[in-house]
Amino acid sequence: MMQPDLIPALDPNPLPAPYWVFKLLLLVTFFLHIIAMNFMLGGGVLALVLKWRSGKGRGDDQMFLDVAKKLPVFLPATITLGVAPLLFVQVLYGQFLYTSSIIMAWPWFLVLVFVTLAYYGFYYVSYRGGRERSRTGGVLLLSVILVFIVGFLFTNNLTLSQVPARWAGKYFSSPQGWSLNLSEPTLLPRYLHFFISAVAVGGLLLVFLALARWKRDNAYARQLLRFGGRSFMYATMAQFIVGIAFLLSLPRGLRMLFMGESLWATVLLLIGIAASIGAIVLMSQALRKENVRAAAFQVPALLAVVIGSMCLMRDILRDAYLKPYFQPAQFAVSTQGSVLLLFLALFLAGVLLWGVMLKRFFAGGVVYQQQSSR
Amino acid sequence: MNYPVWEVGFGAGFLIAAVAILHVFVSHFAVGGGLFLVLTEQRARRQNDVPLLDWLKAHTKFFVLVTVVFGAVSGVGIWFTIGLIGPTATSNLIHAYVWGWAIEWVFFFVEITAALLYLYGWDKLDARLHAWYGWIYFVAAFASMVIINGIITFMLTSGGWIKTRQFWQGFFNPTYFPSLAFRFVIALALAGIYGLITASVQKEPGLKARLVRWSAWGVVPALAVLPVLGWWYIRAIPADIWASARGPIPTATHYALSAVILLGVTFLLAMLAFLRPGRMHLVFSLAVALVALGAMGSFEFVREAIRKPYVISKYLYANSLYAAKIPGDGGFSVDEVNDAGILKVAKWIQRRDPAKDGPVAVGREIFRVECESCHTADAYRGIKHYLVLRQWDQNELLAMLGSLDLMHNGVMPPFVGTDAERAALASYLITLRPVSVTSAAATDGKTIFDQNCSMCHRLKAGQPLFKSLARDPVTASKALKDLTSVSPLMPDVRLPEPQRIALAEWVNTQRAGSAAAGGSQK
């Protein structure tokens, strides 16, 4: 079955910087992308829950609007922060990703259509949320479903890119690009692992909102804290089941990497588990004591450790899958020094400017806050 | 051949064109519209013009919904699409220009943030701070154009990069500056055109008239200087590349014509807007936008058409074949594939043995890897259409396939592979010819010329056809009997004698000075 010669050859251009530079950029930007994605998708799911529960007089409507109005910011953040890892993953793993994308070309192309529609849906809900209640629920549901599908397609493509042995069968049975990777045993647990992590981080979004409103509207902020904190805890607990299912679904050789065979992978897994447990304990204490600062600072700090270790494990897993076909040494390297320096300088300047832009914006008065709770 | 080919029934090239044209129409607006926003805000603040500010606020929302949503997603969409249809070119562009893309991403990130803060800042920020976000937006948007323009023009005129492989040599290539100026002015015009749309839905006629005039003032001067910049752009394109826009290849010529006409219509419509600015209807403003979209699309089609047969000039053909053998090309250069055979080299084909699988099935595979990046069987650039037009039989088709790179001023890559593979391709392609077409030999010279010669030969004084073909039809007919002896580059097409004579007689009527041609004798 295996046809190693099916794997596309690299193009003649050398890497314009050492391998590790791209790996580092890929990991860092993917980490940021996944956080933005979690806020967007998790926020969307929780907004949907709040919409569904609303009308029972628990401030759900207000929470719903509060969250829904943030979605049109988190979706572009997800896309913008997603462009960079998409670029860097193509630099290193293009041979695999282009091929798997072509095999599932139409679904992959439809990602664009779905994202656009979901995006307009989020804007609709954010602008009309307070007014036409009957329709916002439906539009939000549709948008969230579309984002679900997009995530599912990403999981399909990324898993397919790691199993070249499956390519030929799929491509030749549908060169029109109507395949998916549904036979992949890790597909569902992997997808759920990402999805539930989004719900947990979405919970933190409400915690942050609680922090911002703590002094001005304490009763409401406590509601936000409660709902957000609980969502975070329950979702993170569920991750233990889904995470174990994901681990068990891996091929034995790869699973064992995380269970002692590779020290680095095993330590990362343990760090991830320990930090998750720590985050749950901290959150439950913060909820009991209504300590919004602990919930909004300590828990996210631990969660960042969790997500960071998960991103690293994901990378280890990919390289383990691709080990028979891919070696970093395959790349010739010829560093484009001047352009690389220019990029680094502009990148730093861009991050600084970005910080200044946000700082000046939020220092610029409270008119917007009043508007948004109108 | 290195990557699998995505079979898009209606044409892969069409899909790229659709995504790209919609994207550029919005992304250029994103640049020019940014300047439009800050300048309009400046004017409104200085004159304390509250209605203008209110309109601008609504226009900002429209701007963000169009550019930040559709513009950004469709920009990513181009990446998705070219990765699906031209993975080899994409891979090359990524590896050679990743730092350019990364720099562009920094600008993109700043741009999107500034746009959203500018939008949300209308109700929150004081005037100076708000304008500050507007300027940051515009500068970042322009900077991203500065970067992308380098990579797009590199694909058309690769400059010194081919020899040196230096980033900046390809980036600041011969068409870099004219293209940047051209696109920036288009961006300014589009800012006004989109302004007309939101202006046209205003109710109050006085305000509407002011808004329409203000927006039209963005369009008219920009379109007036565009032809000059276009001329500069064309002058910067090396003659051998530009030649294909004027030759017998219809695509570039047709689109160049339609770009000029539609541009003129856009200009006239924008002038018309001045006549009754207070009564401008939404439909009118949308019509202006639609015509402008047509003009913009035509321009991009011309650029892509004259770039052919390459996707990266002088380096990579549109069908992912390297023009010359280079280290690391994976064996996918013209010479290497000619030596080894496409059926040996191509990775993503199943039927490799004409004897076992039959020549038609094998030819179908060759068609997929060598032709489908641009052609389809019977839809966009469909082979069926050409076969009806030319009336070739299998032998002629086979002969013509040997000279693909000479046809239409060299718009196509050469066929690569062995003679047996070429025969297999011909035996597949001939199955696309409708049964109704029977090669009843044409008898009039013009038709014979159109079907057999017009792909390469042009009817202009001084062309080899006129110079080397004898005037006496019988002598000429003898020479035409074996074309490969006339020139080894010519296809081995063998016409029967009556056809050859009819052809030679007709060619005589086209010579400069002959009565039928109506030209003057030099």
Side-chain angles (χ1 to χ4, degrees):
Chain A
M1 277 304 284
M2 258 299 302
Q3 284 180 284
D5 66 330
L6 268 184
I7 294 181
L10 280 168
D11 66 78
N13 296 283
L15 281 190
Y19 176 80
W20 65 266
V21 174
F22 292 108
K23 195 56 166 268
L24 181 69
L25 285 168
L26 171 61
L27 288 171
V28 170
T29 54
F30 179 77
F31 172 78
L32 297 173
H33 164 67
I34 216 71
I35 289 177
M37 181 281 276
N38 281 346
F39 276 125
M40 180 266 298
L41 178 57
V45 170
L46 293 181
L48 210 55
V49 172
L50 287 164
K51 181 78 199 165
W52 179 61
R53 300 202 320 190
S54 70
K56 294 178 191 166
R58 287 180 295 190
D60 289 349
D61 255 341
Q62 197 181 348
M63 287 199 277
F64 156 73
L65 264 185
D66 224 0
V67 177
K69 279 185 182 296
K70 307 295 174 291
L71 297 178
V73 175
F74 284 115
L75 187 53
T78 306
I79 296 174
T80 318
L81 290 169
V83 167
L86 184 67
L87 175 65
F88 297 124
V89 80
Q90 286 182 67
V91 172
L92 298 184
Y93 300 101
Q95 296 153 282
F96 306 94
L97 194 66
Y98 295 131
T99 309
S100 59
S101 303
I102 292 167
I103 291 169
M104 51 176 284
W106 274 118
W108 188 238
F109 182 82
L110 284 175
V111 162
L112 305 161
V113 179
F114 293 161
V115 168
T116 309
L117 292 176
Y119 206 152
Y120 282 118
F122 282 158
Y123 262 110
Y124 178 87
V125 172
S126 136
Y127 280 132
R128 297 287 171 90
R131 288 185 251 169
E132 294 167 50
R133 278 144 193 241
S134 54
R135 238 186 287 166
T136 49
V139 173
L140 183 62
L141 178 67
L142 197 69
S143 286
V144 170
I145 289 177
L146 288 171
V147 176
F148 271 1
I149 298 175
V150 167
F152 185 66
L153 295 174
F154 267 84
T155 309
N156 268 277
N157 196 355
L158 270 302
T159 51
L160 184 58
S161 75
Q162 296 169 355
V163 280
R166 220 173 282 153
W167 289 350
K170 284 190 184 292
Y171 173 70
F172 289 116
S173 67
S174 173
Q176 295 80 24
W178 279 111
S179 302
L180 284 173
N181 195 26
L182 299 179
S183 57
E184 167 66 42
T186 66
L187 184 73
L188 217 55
R190 186 182 171 115
Y191 175 61
L192 283 177
H193 207 44
F194 276 92
F195 163 66
I196 293 173
S197 122
V199 176
V201 177
L204 284 188
L205 173 62
L206 277 86
V207 172
F208 291 139
L209 292 174
L211 179 71
R213 286 140 182 66
W214 199 253
K215 286 200 181 118
R216 201 155 21 93
D217 188 353
N218 187 258
Y220 169 60
R222 279 157 60 196
Q223 272 187 323
L224 280 170
L225 174 65
R226 228 171 12 249
F227 183 73
R230 282 186 190 155
S231 305
F232 171 81
M233 276 171 50
Y234 295 145
T236 310
M237 287 174 194
Q239 284 296 51
F240 283 92
I241 301 168
V242 176
I244 289 169
F246 183 21
L247 195 62
L248 290 178
S249 69
L250 289 174
R252 193 189 139 77
L254 302 182
R255 181 167 66 235
M256 293 318 287
L257 286 177
F258 298 94
M259 304 182 76
E261 209 166 271
S262 155
L263 181 65
W264 173 224
T266 312
V267 167
L268 280 174
L269 179 61
L270 291 176
I271 290 176
I273 293 173
S276 310
I277 295 175
I280 294 173
V281 172
L282 272 180
M283 183 58 94
S284 88
Q285 280 174 356
L287 286 182
R288 212 169 41 240
K289 296 181 192 156
E290 295 205 321
N291 181 352
V292 72
R293 297 187 68 81
F297 291 108
Q298 293 166 9
V299 175
L302 268 183
L303 190 71
V305 173
V306 178
I307 297 178
S309 65
M310 295 289 159
C311 288
L312 290 173
M313 282 194 276
R314 178 180 174 277
D315 183 62
I316 291 172
L317 188 60
R318 166 177 41 214
D319 285 353
Y321 266 110
L322 292 179
K323 202 172 177 191
Y325 323 100
F326 173 87
Q327 294 298 325
Q330 71 178 357
F331 292 106
V333 175
S334 168
T335 303
Q336 295 172 351
S338 65
V339 206
L340 175 57
L341 279 177
L342 182 64
F343 163 69
L344 290 175
L346 286 169
F347 181 67
L348 276 180
V351 171
L352 275 176
L353 178 61
W354 188 76
V356 173
M357 279 199 288
L358 288 185
K359 193 166 168 241
R360 292 187 78 176
F361 186 85
F362 288 109
V366 291
V367 191
Y368 172 63
Q369 299 291 358
Q370 285 164 2
Q371 285 257 328
S372 65
S373 53
R374 189 166 55 192
Chain B
M1 37 204 98
N2 187 23
Y3 284 94
V5 174
W6 176 24
E7 294 196 338
V8 186
F10 55 82
F14 184 76
L15 187 69
I16 287 192
V19 176
I21 287 169
L22 287 176
H23 173 70
V24 293
F25 193 62
V26 170
S27 64
H28 285 67
F29 170 47
V31 176
L35 189 61
F36 183 86
L37 286 176
V38 285
L39 292 182
T40 311
E41 184 178 0
Q42 210 170 53
R43 176 188 162 99
R45 301 262 191 216
R46 205 165 33 214
Q47 302 176 349
N48 208 7
D49 188 339
V50 178
L52 182 59
L53 273 179
D54 282 343
W55 170 75
L56 194 62
K57 200 170 133 185
H59 185 67
T60 306
K61 198 162 149 184
F62 169 75
F63 178 82
V64 165
L65 286 177
V66 172
T67 63
V68 173
V69 183
F70 186 83
V73 179
S74 61
V76 179
I78 293 189
W79 273 116
F80 271 53
T81 318
I82 63 171
L84 289 171
I85 294 167
T88 304
T90 311
S91 177
N92 273 284
L93 288 174
I94 291 273
H95 283 140
Y97 280 97
V98 56
W99 296 126
W101 298 116
I103 290 169
E104 198 275 335
W105 170 71
V106 173
F107 292 132
F108 176 58
F109 194 73
V110 169
E111 178 187 337
I112 298 282
T113 310
L116 292 175
L117 296 179
Y118 184 81
L119 171 69
Y120 292 129
W122 270 108
D123 298 322
K124 181 180 158 74
L125 303 171
D126 67 71
R128 281 190 60 165
L129 189 55
H130 189 245
W132 183 72
Y133 287 106
W135 280 110
I136 289 180
Y137 170 80
F138 166 64
V139 171
F142 180 72
S144 70
M145 179 184 252
V146 163
I147 300 295
I148 293 200
N149 181 61
I151 301 172
I152 292 176
T153 51
F154 157 75
M155 293 168 74
L156 176 63
T157 47
S158 44
W161 184 87
I162 288 294
K163 284 205 182 100
T164 62
R165 298 289 152 86
Q166 296 292 311
F167 183 100
W168 297 114
Q169 295 235 342
F171 190 87
F172 291 114
N173 59 74
T175 51
Y176 179 84
F177 287 105
S179 164
L180 184 65
F182 191 75
R183 287 182 182 277
F184 181 60
V185 168
I186 288 180
L188 294 180
L190 283 178
I193 287 170
Y194 279 90
L196 289 177
I197 296 176
T198 49
S200 71
V201 294
Q202 284 298 312
K203 299 250 162 27
E204 206 267 297
L207 174 66
K208 187 188 220 174
R210 282 198 296 137
L211 296 174
V212 167
R213 272 197 300 267
W214 175 245
S215 300
W217 269 118
V219 185
V220 169
L223 291 187
V225 298
L226 204 55
V228 181
L229 295 174
W231 181 76
W232 180 26
Y233 197 159
I234 291 168
R235 285 287 303 269
I237 298 171
D240 58 326
I241 297 177
W242 178 241
S244 63
R246 293 171 305 162
I249 162 75
T251 315
T253 323
H254 288 177
Y255 282 107
L257 189 65
S258 92
V260 170
I261 292 172
L262 292 173
L263 201 67
V265 176
T266 315
F267 183 78
L268 287 178
L269 290 175
M271 295 289 278
L272 274 180
F274 283 111
L275 283 183
R276 288 260 183 86
R279 296 181 59 184
M280 189 165 136
H281 199 274
L282 175 65
V283 173
F284 182 85
S285 65
L286 289 178
V288 180
L290 206 64
V291 177
L293 172 68
M296 179 109 206
S298 302
F299 155 65
E300 300 288 356
F301 258 106
V302 173
R303 184 180 55 78
E304 298 249 331
I306 60 177
R307 196 179 66 204
K308 300 237 164 77
Y310 299 105
V311 64
I312 299 172
S313 182
K314 314 273 157 91
Y315 175 74
L316 187 72
Y317 284 117
N319 60 0
S320 301
L321 204 64
Y322 292 95
K325 186 176 189 299
I326 30 175
D329 62 17
F332 295 104
S333 70
V334 171
D335 288 346
E336 287 162 294
V337 181
N338 275 335
D339 287 345
I342 185 78
L343 294 170
K344 279 237 174 66
V345 177
K347 291 178 193 262
W348 289 87
I349 54 177
Q350 247 178 337
R351 298 183 178 83
R352 295 170 188 270
D353 185 356
K356 195 179 100 210
D357 303 308
V360 173
V362 170
R364 169 82 188 79
E365 297 272 41
I366 297 173
F367 180 70
R368 168 158 54 195
V369 294
E370 285 201 34
C371 319
E372 270 194 350
S373 54
C374 300
H375 293 283
T376 62
D378 55 5
Y380 187 69
R381 298 200 181 112
I383 300 299
K384 180 177 161 186
H385 164 78
Y386 299 120
L387 290 175
V388 172
L389 205 67
R390 309 284 186 212
Q391 303 269 321
W392 293 338
D393 61 23
Q394 189 166 340
N395 286 332
E396 257 182 301
L397 182 56
L398 178 65
M400 294 294 184
L401 283 175
S403 311
L404 285 184
D405 50 332
L406 295 177
M407 288 182 187
H408 304 302
N409 264 355
V411 80
M412 276 189 280
F415 170 84
V416 289
T418 62
D419 287 346
E421 289 166 345
R422 184 154 59 98
L425 177 60
S427 62
Y428 163 69
L429 292 179
I430 206 70
T431 64
L432 300 174
R433 203 175 67 158
V435 192
S436 60
V437 176
T438 50
S439 309
T443 47
D444 71 298
K446 182 179 184 320
T447 310
I448 298 167
F449 178 84
D450 285 345
Q451 290 177 357
N452 299 287
C453 319
S454 66
M455 293 76 65
C456 303
H457 293 283
R458 295 163 67 191
L459 295 166
K460 276 200 169 171
Q463 288 289 308
L465 177 70
F466 293 125
K467 275 200 255 175
S468 50
L469 194 66
R471 284 186 184 251
D472 171 42
V474 179
T475 320
S477 163
K478 273 187 189 145
L480 291 173
K481 196 172 169 187
D482 181 6
L483 292 178
T484 52
S485 70
V486 177
S487 156
L489 294 174
M490 288 186 74
D492 189 13
V493 171
R494 287 162 192 276
L495 299 173
E497 189 172 14
Q499 279 202 320
R500 296 200 303 267
I501 289 181
L503 176 64
E505 281 171 347
W506 182 79
V507 167
N508 280 338
T509 68
Q510 300 301 306
R511 289 178 193 269
S514 80
S520 60
Q521 182 80 47
K522 276 189 189 161

